[in-house]
Amino acid sequence: MKIPFEKEHYRSLTDDTQKTDSQTLFLKTSQNNRYYAMLEEKPPVITPEELIAFWNLDQLKVVGVTGTNGKTTVTAAIYSFLIDLGEKPALQGTRGLFVQERRIEEKSMTTPSVMETLYNMKRALDLGCNYFIMEVSSHAIDQNRIEGIKFALKVHTNVTSDHLDYHGSVEEYRRVKSLFFADESPKLLNKDDIKHITYNPIGAQSYGVDQPATFKVQAFSLLHGITAGVKHLKEEATFHSPMVGLFNLFNLMAAIGSVVILTNKKLEEVCEVVENFAGVAGRMEVVSREPLVIVDFAHTDDGMYQVLNSIKDKDIAVVFGAGGNRDKSKRPRMGAVAGRFAKKIYVTSDNPRDEVPEMILEDILKGLEGKDHVVATPDRRLAIKMALDELKDGEILLILGKGDEDYQEIRGVKHHFDDREVVREFLGHSA
């Protein structure tokens, strides 16, 4: 990456050792340090801490959200609540960069490079923002892609099992996630999931549904959206949300608690704006109501469990697959979760990448041995059509794994494919 940059005689800034020249200052980070060390002629450098000071980025209150599931929804909810409360936030994550209700950049990595994040923070500050909300992935924590950033609040959603292809074991994955909460930064932790991480208790607050917590759900209903009564210290309030599912109750609690901590506003004032947030595209997104078809991003066994368990009182049909070149151990577990909750199961391709799709399906089917009404086809379009054709009155169809992705990646090529478009086409609905 190379961007315009004015400092002394320099005119640009880069974090790429191949793009340095006499007018380009080099941002030396934990990620590129080994490449810098290999250079025969070492260019002048600036560190992330020095860049933060030069750009006055400490004026922004930075919020980092990490967890196996919920990062995108929680960050989007915090962003939405802050806007409704008159603040000026920016949001960076898998859906791109948003500044005060405007999309500045399209989708990107969950947590981009240090340089890209700092540049996004500068753009947010230049556009008048006072908050910068960001998703923080386990890869970013491990690779220190958040180097030098001081967080006004760090938020924990949950830590189950994911990215084992990278981390090697659940224990290592949890250790890396825990590193994010090892300092004395203010932090908000999911009390119902807290056994899965270690953390520095200084600056820690919590939210919970079952367990006692700083922000505690006293009672709730999931009948028509989500309605819940919340207690924070001596304050009590109620909120309603059009969102679906128990896991979204946790996501909303994380966001409510975060905004109360950040703004010092009354709990009731924050709860009043919750109803305005309808959720994130591709996250429990209702594509059709007659019949009821929902698309969700869930792509791990825990993510599937959260989604399917949240509507377990319904007759469920589910279409799902698993990504290629990713953790294979989760595939049979994903199958087992589907078998536990769904009456009709359609196993298909997700993003097979460089793997043979049929082999991925075989891994999933190991967790579905002995189950009735299981169909397997690598053709995702065909799987969706079969599921819709066989859907009966009163049943609900969930199409999981891709959410708002509009492509399928097959052998290095991204082919246009959007679950929502396919459903609407088959049902004759307009977008």
Side-chain angles (χ1 to χ4, degrees), residues 349-363:
S349 292
D350 190 301
N351 291 317
R353 299 186 176 91
D354 296 320
E355 286 196 60
V356 177
E358 288 82 359
M359 299 296 287
I360 299 174
L361 269 57
E362 282 187 23
D363 288 341

Side-chain angles (χ1 to χ4, degrees), residues 45-63:
V45 303
I46 188 171
T47 66
E49 291 85 352
E50 290 167 339
L51 185 59
I52 288 168
F54 181 71
W55 278 341
N56 295 314
L57 299 183
D58 282 337
Q59 294 180 37
L60 286 170
K61 288 186 178 180
V62 184
V63 182

Side-chain angles (χ1 to χ4, degrees), residues 85-129:
L85 291 166
E87 302 292 346
K88 296 178 179 178
L91 169 64
Q92 172 185 278
T94 51
R95 296 165 58 236
L97 176 66
F98 298 80
V99 175
Q100 298 180 46
E101 300 189 88
R102 281 198 304 131
R103 191 181 211 150
I104 305 297
E105 291 286 346
E106 293 298 314
K107 296 177 184 180
S108 69
M109 296 173 66
T110 303
T111 315
S113 68
V114 179
M115 180 165 166
E116 190 171 341
T117 294
L118 296 183
Y119 180 52
N120 286 342
M121 288 171 65
K122 181 185 186 302
R123 290 199 283 175
L125 188 63
D126 288 347
L127 290 168
C129 291

Side-chain angles (χ1 to χ4, degrees), residues 299-315:
H299 60 285
T300 66
D301 49 309
D302 179 68
M304 288 180 63
Y305 176 87
Q306 299 293 341
V307 167
L308 296 174
N309 185 54
S310 71
I311 53 169
K312 62 185 176 183
D313 56 328
K314 310 283 187 184
D315 289 333

Side-chain angles (χ1 to χ4, degrees), residues 122-150:
K122 181 185 186 302
R123 290 199 283 175
L125 188 63
D126 288 347
L127 290 168
C129 291
N130 56 351
Y131 287 92
F132 189 85
I133 320 300
M134 62 183 289
E135 297 180 45
V136 180
S137 68
S138 58
H139 294 69
I141 298 168
D142 188 53
Q143 297 166 11
N144 202 16
R145 277 189 249 142
I146 48 175
E147 182 179 357
I149 299 172
K150 291 184 176 65

Side-chain angles (χ1 to χ4, degrees), residues 252-300:
L252 290 170
M253 286 298 294
I256 291 167
S258 295
V259 172
V260 170
I261 292 169
L262 290 165
T263 64
N264 289 316
K265 291 186 182 295
K266 295 286 186 183
L267 179 64
E268 185 175 6
E269 189 177 354
V270 175
C271 285
E272 283 176 358
V273 304
V274 172
E275 192 167 6
N276 300 336
F277 177 65
V280 175
R283 268 67 171 181
M284 289 301 278
E285 181 177 352
V286 177
V287 182
S288 166
R289 295 204 177 267
E290 300 266 339
L292 185 54
V293 182
I294 294 175
V295 167
D296 190 79
F297 187 64
H299 60 285
T300 66

